[in-house]
Amino acid sequence: MTKQAVLSPQPGVQTVARHDTSRSAEFWAGVRATIPLVVGAIPFGIIFGAVAVSSGLGAGTAAAMSAFVFAGSSQFIAAGLYASGAGLMIIILTTFIVNLRHSLYSVSLAPYMRHLPHRWLLILGFTLTDETFLVVSQRYTAPDASPNKHWFHFGSAAIMYTNWQLCTWIRILAGSAVANPENWGLDFALVVTFIGMLMPGIRSRPILVSVLAAGIASLVLAGLPNRLGLLAATLAGVVFGLIAEILKNRHIAGNRADA
Amino acid sequence: MSTYEILMVAGMMAVTFGVRYPVLALVSRVHLPEPVMAALKFIPPAVLTAIIVPAMVMPAGQIDISLTNAYLVAGIISAVIAWRTRNLLATIVLGMVIFLIWRWFF
């Protein structure tokens, strides 16, 4: 965060005082903003390489999956299903369910992409991930009127994509020579970054209600397979947030009527 | 790569691209009604929470609320730091240090 943002007259309102909104400045800002999440993704990428090899997927298949599917959780699950001898349709259907939450992200980002030509939508759609969605949501909703926010998005997507390919290849090529990174604690980098992104955003009671509902639902629904818990908990958060907002607006309207 | 593997990757690619791009292309070309727009702002905080909470409370797969759970302890301290400072970098650096130290001791 910049000094200007810290000195912002309204604490909590993230005034992004980025004066340089050129394409390259936005691109590199997107790369930088995503680096902590890339660090958190490294162990998963390397473990995917290992899981793919032990599942019996060829190196070429594992690399092709990372390059063309580019969706971490679904790649893990597909490798596991492949190893268990599951049929083609089961693997493809499961991948669809695991990645269904991406349609929610697409709906959420689309209003900010009205002005973009289709080739941009193709690239940014193909490279959508949880991490990039969350980072660029903050950029798109920032109050400044930069015309190049999609370059920030492209930077975030580019570093995530590059990192995922490198991690997959490292484990495929190095094999077991690379120590198992599961116990390095890098996965906490992802958690702590998301915490740092979430907390300043809780600025209203409806958002607090939404967060509490999503949190409780995520634990209650943790047993759901295929990342459906994440999708259902998100929807629970959205529904409860909306209800809280409607009640709040009614309360305000009621007070006005009384006065 | 066998035919089976080629079909598997192609099918996975098709359905994954299918939940990303077409939605983006369609929705970016229409105006969403006001209630839908109001709902959209809850998605990022709800997704963040739904990723963070299980990662902190059940890092090994089952609920673990104890002082030996470094994810939970460092996560709660990080949340307080983030809430007080509103500084992402400070939260990440301090949070990682606390997490690694806590794990070292327990």
Side-chain angles (χ1 to χ4, degrees):
Chain A
M1 196 182 283
T2 60
K3 264 189 186 140
Q4 285 89 334
V6 174
L7 296 173
S8 158
Q10 292 165 278
V13 177
Q14 285 186 326
T15 315
V16 179
R18 193 181 289 120
H19 298 292
D20 189 356
T21 57
S22 68
R23 288 169 176 188
S24 68
E26 289 279 5
F27 178 88
W28 290 110
V31 171
R32 275 196 305 277
T34 313
I35 284 176
L37 302 171
V38 163
V39 170
I42 286 172
F44 296 106
I46 295 179
I47 295 165
F48 171 69
V51 167
V53 171
S54 65
S55 308
L57 284 175
T61 308
M65 221 186 248
S66 286
F68 298 123
V69 182
F70 187 54
S73 339
S74 67
Q75 291 180 227
F76 274 97
I77 293 168
L81 286 172
Y82 180 87
S84 73
L88 206 53
M89 285 318 290
I90 296 288
I91 295 179
I92 293 170
L93 190 66
T94 307
T95 302
F96 174 73
I97 294 167
V98 173
N99 293 330
L100 204 52
R101 65 187 191 287
H102 290 229
S103 59
L104 208 59
Y105 303 163
S106 296
V107 174
S108 177
L109 292 178
Y112 302 101
M113 302 180 145
R114 289 190 203 294
H115 62 293
L116 297 181
H118 267 291
R119 61 176 189 280
W120 273 92
L121 300 181
L122 272 170
I123 295 167
L124 297 181
F126 176 71
T127 54
L128 191 60
T129 54
D130 298 292
E131 288 87 347
T132 291
F133 164 67
L134 291 162
V135 169
V136 304
S137 287
Q138 293 204 327
R139 181 72 194 103
Y140 281 124
T141 52
D144 68 302
S146 162
N148 289 318
K149 289 182 181 180
H150 54 297
W151 280 90
F152 182 99
H153 187 162
F154 184 51
S156 172
I159 182 92
M160 282 299 295
Y161 189 82
T162 308
N163 175 63
W164 189 247
Q165 309 314 316
L166 286 178
C167 288
T168 306
W169 276 105
I170 285 171
R171 188 56 189 238
I172 289 171
L173 294 176
S176 47
V178 176
N180 200 339
E182 256 167 300
N183 298 319
W184 293 353
L186 286 182
D187 51 342
F188 189 73
L190 195 78
V191 179
V192 74
T193 308
F194 283 162
I195 289 172
M197 287 164 65
L198 172 67
M199 296 306 288
I202 307 177
R203 288 182 218 124
S204 71
R205 206 163 285 177
I207 292 184
L208 180 63
V209 170
S210 168
V211 161
L212 290 175
I216 293 166
S218 72
L219 291 178
V220 174
L221 304 170
L224 288 181
N226 299 331
R227 298 283 263 176
L228 282 176
L230 176 53
L231 179 60
T234 302
L235 290 174
V238 171
V239 169
F240 276 85
L242 266 182
I243 292 171
E245 192 165 73
I246 291 165
L247 292 177
K248 186 181 153 194
N249 290 343
R250 232 181 242 171
H251 185 72
I252 293 168
N255 282 354
R256 272 198 204 121
D258 291 342
Chain B
M1 269 174 92
S2 66
T3 314
Y4 182 92
E5 287 176 329
I6 291 171
L7 287 175
M8 177 176 75
V9 174
M12 288 176 69
M13 181 185 173
V15 293
T16 306
F17 190 64
V19 293
R20 289 166 167 170
Y21 168 74
V23 182
L24 210 54
L26 278 173
V27 180
S28 68
R29 297 301 186 252
V30 296
H31 275 272
L32 294 174
E34 195 49 47
V36 178
M37 289 299 288
L40 294 184
K41 69 171 174 295
F42 293 109
I43 294 177
V47 176
L48 284 169
T49 310
I51 293 175
I52 294 165
V53 171
M56 275 171 59
V57 178
M58 39 199 304
Q62 52 272 36
I63 290 181
D64 175 13
I65 297 176
S66 68
L67 284 177
T68 53
N69 180 353
Y71 290 85
L72 184 62
V73 174
I76 290 171
I77 298 171
S78 303
V80 174
I81 294 169
W83 177 55
R84 299 295 299 175
T85 66
R86 294 176 184 278
N87 184 324
L88 181 59
L89 192 63
T91 305
I92 295 170
V93 172
L94 288 173
M96 277 311 285
V97 169
I98 293 163
F99 174 77
L100 292 172
I101 291 173
W102 199 270
R103 238 177 36 145
W104 183 264
F105 280 109
F106 292 98

